[in-house]
Amino acid sequence: RLGRLDDAFRLLDLAERTARHQGWEASAARALFSRGLILTEAGRYRDSVPAYEQAIAEYERLGGVVSLLNALFNISSNQVALGDYSDALATSERGTARAEAARAEGNASPYDVGEQVLRQGVALKHLGRYDDALAVYSHALTLYEEDGSTASLRRIATVRNRQAEIQKERGLYRDARAAYEAVRGAFAALADTEGAADAFDELGFV
């Protein structure tokens, strides 16, 4: 496996050098982003951060806002995987601020902002800040509902499920039941029978 990783990195280094030589700056940035992805998939979460940060710097210079936000999303996700919840929160707050600025300029959608807000909620939940997490998740729901895309509809189901999990952990079973009913409805709206069935199963435990 290590040999395959080394081969992948050599190819990415070659791709980046070639892209820079040819003046293909976006391709060079993509090579850096891909390095972060490969490290993430290999479970080398901490090692992925410098590669993503290099890609972010390139995308900031090139105006590649969506790719920049994807890199921030991935960094925050990896920091959660490492248990670095405070760092994950800081990264997601950074991502939210950048996404909101991009949206104000017409370069990002409500979905793009919602993705960064969602990561805030995940970090806050892991930090035990349940009220803050619920408030942030509510904000994410508003953004996804405003966006209205299929991707956002799926995220609505995800967010409602995370709200339900918090209420269940807190022993607020009536609120948890209401939240799981909302999850069930969200999946049903997507014609996702498996997701709806999972939510129904959870109702039996609250």
Side-chain angles (χ1 to χ4, degrees), residues 110 143-153 156:
L143 290 161
Y144 290 131
E145 288 166 352
E146 179 184 352
D147 188 77
S149 66
T150 300
S152 283
L153 292 176
I156 287 169

Side-chain angles (χ1 to χ4, degrees), residues 72-178:
L72 286 168
F73 183 98
N74 290 353
I75 290 174
S76 181
S77 297
N78 289 353
Q79 288 167 331
V80 166
L82 288 164
D84 297 339
Y85 304 129
S86 294
D87 289 342
L89 178 59
T91 299
S92 59
E93 288 173 340
R94 174 185 165 197
T96 297
R98 188 63 186 85
E100 288 174 342
R103 186 184 177 198
E105 297 164 355
N107 296 322
S109 67
Y111 175 86
D112 296 323
V113 182
E115 290 291 90
Q116 304 300 319
V117 174
L118 173 60
R119 296 312 311 171
Q120 283 190 58
V122 171
L124 287 164
K125 189 261 186 183
H126 281 291
L127 287 166
R129 294 170 55 181
Y130 292 140
D131 288 335
D132 290 335
L134 288 171
V136 165
Y137 283 145
S138 292
H139 180 41
L141 279 178
T142 299
L143 290 161
Y144 290 131
E145 288 166 352
E146 179 184 352
D147 188 77
S149 66
T150 300
S152 283
L153 292 176
R154 292 197 172 280
R155 281 304 200 201
I156 287 169
T158 298
V159 173
R160 291 200 181 282
N161 193 59
R162 292 187 183 280
Q163 290 175 318
E165 288 171 353
I166 289 175
Q167 301 294 24
K168 183 179 176 181
E169 285 187 25
R170 299 174 86 178
L172 301 174
Y173 298 118
R174 180 177 297 178
D175 292 338
R177 284 188 64 84

